[in-house]
Amino acid sequence: MSTVGDRGAAAPDTAPGAAPEAPSGAAPSRRRLLLLAPFAAAVAAGAGFYAMLRGLGSGSYDPKGVPSALIGQPAPDFTLPPLEGTDRPGLAATDLRGQGRPVLVNFFASWCVPCLIEHPQLTRLAREGVPIFGVAYKDKPADSLAFLQRHGTPYARLGVDQPGRVAIDWGLYGVPETYLIDRQGIIRWRWAGPLTEDTLSQELQPLLRRYA
Amino acid sequence: MTGIRLPTLRRLGPGLLLAMGLALAAIAPASAAVGDPAAMLPDPAQEERAREIGRELRCMVCQNQSIEDSDADLARDLRHIVREQVAAGRSDAEIMDYLHARYGDFVLLRPPVKPETWPLWGMPAIALGLGLGMILAMRRRQRAAMPGGGAEATPELSAAERARLQALEDGGGR
């Protein structure tokens, strides 16, 4: 307070632009505004928090989610060997084009629990005729094989990426990750985490129709 | 570790301390594995360059560590790629571009300045400006609330007030 007083001493006249105390008629509404402002802020914060929790629950909001740098870009070039013991051929970038419809590339591993969670959804999509190409990421071939024999193979083609180098070209940072590639071989969508029923109906199915 | 209250801690005393010390000693080699000698480049100058590049790159798994600090599998792979490219004679910018093309802006711990990141980079200036504005506004209000200004304008005590003050002081001294 004393500094203010000193300043006042240095410049005894009030600053030219300084508005005098608000007229008495305006004072009560201003006080009401001051009381309401924190309340409104709390309501807004509550609504935002609720939306965030809803998003966390449904999977549409992921605080650790990172947008893919490859959206709108052609799929990277790669060739992966097939998994020994299956009848599925290996996977190369050229297989992604010329299918006449959008395709999915799904990175999975037998050691990955969310991969197990999304497996029924992949099976369903495969039954609906969506071409799904699998990449076994950093997995022992024997383990991948056991996983697929136990739960079924939804993949039309299956590549083995044991060193995980092709995955890095795709910008993968965990399994499972699923990419939608359109008919021209352009990456249109990436889903990091398990595909749920909600993801299918709200995100993937509309995109499959759009790029069909 | 969350539920330990202080009295419990005191009762357990030296034993617990010893256990904690042992636990720390057990952790130390694990974190040293980040600098696994087998993964280092033979040329110390190149290794130093690789480390400097790695410190600028975010580990996409742990997200708040650089790939040099992280022991995540992916971070190890990326460290390996950085070293491979350093050994192959690629420039720092080329290596950063390689990872940026795959992982986007998020992989860079120092985000690039571009329209999308202007608010981010401008935040310190914006916060400073807001703070200055608030201080100025408060000053103005205070000055306006005291017509005629501060200390100098405080009216002198009247004779009656001075006498009363004197009486109070005398009364308090007794």
Side-chain angles (χ1 to χ4, degrees):
Chain A
M1 285 308 270
S2 72
T3 24
V4 175
D6 293 347
R7 274 302 165 89
D13 285 331
T14 40
E21 192 64 71
S24 54
S29 78
R30 195 168 162 185
R31 191 165 302 152
R32 200 176 305 148
L33 192 75
L34 273 175
L35 282 171
L36 277 176
F39 183 70
V43 168
F49 195 64
Y50 179 72
M52 198 183 84
L53 284 180
R54 283 284 304 256
L56 277 172
S58 72
S60 62
Y61 169 68
D62 177 10
K64 290 191 86 179
V66 180
S68 170
L70 273 75
I71 301 298
Q73 304 222 20
D77 200 25
F78 69 96
T79 311
L80 288 173
L83 178 66
E84 297 293 328
T86 61
D87 55 352
R88 304 296 199 277
L91 185 62
T94 45
D95 298 323
L96 305 179
R97 288 180 287 272
Q99 298 284 334
R101 56 184 301 169
V103 302
L104 293 178
V105 173
N106 175 252
F107 289 81
F108 77 102
S110 66
W111 44 261
C112 140
V113 176
C115 298
L116 197 58
I117 295 170
E118 73 170 8
H119 199 270
Q121 281 70 255
L122 289 176
T123 308
R124 208 183 93 197
L125 283 168
R127 212 179 299 133
E128 287 166 8
V130 180
I132 307 175
F133 299 139
V135 178
Y137 172 74
K138 288 201 176 218
D139 201 8
K140 292 195 192 93
D143 292 348
S144 308
L145 192 60
F147 178 86
L148 294 175
Q149 276 168 351
R150 190 164 166 197
H151 304 291
T153 308
Y155 307 116
R157 285 174 169 273
L158 181 55
V160 175
D161 185 17
Q162 218 175 342
R165 284 301 284 263
V166 166
I168 286 174
D169 286 342
W170 282 75
L172 179 120
Y173 66 97
V175 273
E177 274 188 26
T178 307
Y179 295 77
L180 176 73
I181 292 102
D182 73 8
R183 300 201 289 184
Q184 282 74 43
I186 308 290
I187 297 178
R188 292 299 176 186
W189 179 77
R190 189 269 303 266
W191 187 260
L195 294 169
T196 60
E197 291 284 340
D198 283 352
T199 322
L200 252 55
S201 58
Q202 285 164 24
E203 308 239 355
L204 185 53
Q205 304 281 20
L207 285 168
L208 282 171
R209 278 194 291 275
R210 191 167 140 202
Y211 292 108
Chain B
M1 288 304 285
T2 43
I4 297 179
R5 277 168 298 122
L6 263 179
T8 328
L9 204 69
R10 214 171 288 142
R11 219 177 306 136
L12 290 173
L16 186 73
L17 274 182
L18 185 69
M20 286 169 95
L22 283 175
L24 275 178
I27 289 167
S31 59
V34 172
D36 178 13
M40 286 187 195
L41 290 171
D43 177 354
Q46 281 192 344
E47 173 65 24
E48 190 43 49
R49 240 193 81 204
R51 270 184 207 187
E52 260 164 44
I53 296 168
R55 278 196 282 267
E56 295 285 319
L57 296 169
R58 185 192 306 273
C59 164
M60 302 295 285
V61 181
C62 10
Q63 301 202 346
N64 282 321
Q65 280 182 309
S66 78
I67 60 167
E68 282 300 316
D69 297 327
S70 167
D71 207 19
D73 233 21
L74 184 65
R76 205 174 309 146
D77 290 351
L78 294 183
R79 277 202 298 276
H80 183 66
I81 286 177
V82 168
R83 275 158 185 75
E84 242 175 39
Q85 301 203 357
V86 165
R90 300 259 221 127
S91 75
D92 290 12
E94 278 171 339
I95 300 171
M96 297 287 242
D97 282 350
Y98 176 92
L99 285 153
H100 184 239
R102 283 156 182 75
Y103 288 101
D105 286 345
F106 194 69
V107 81
L108 306 174
L109 280 170
R110 211 192 302 251
V113 183
K114 57 184 192 180
E116 289 97 319
T117 58
W118 282 347
L120 179 71
W121 283 100
M123 198 45 81
I126 294 168
L128 202 67
L130 277 176
L132 278 176
M134 266 167 70
I135 290 172
L136 284 178
M138 278 163 73
R139 278 238 167 114
R140 267 186 173 184
R141 276 242 307 263
Q142 262 168 359
R143 218 179 288 163
M146 281 188 246
E152 213 176 56
T154 309
E156 285 291 310
L157 294 179
S158 69
E161 281 167 338
R162 233 175 291 149
R164 187 149 174 255
L165 181 63
Q166 192 61 46
L168 280 170
E169 280 173 356
D170 289 349
R174 205 176 285 153

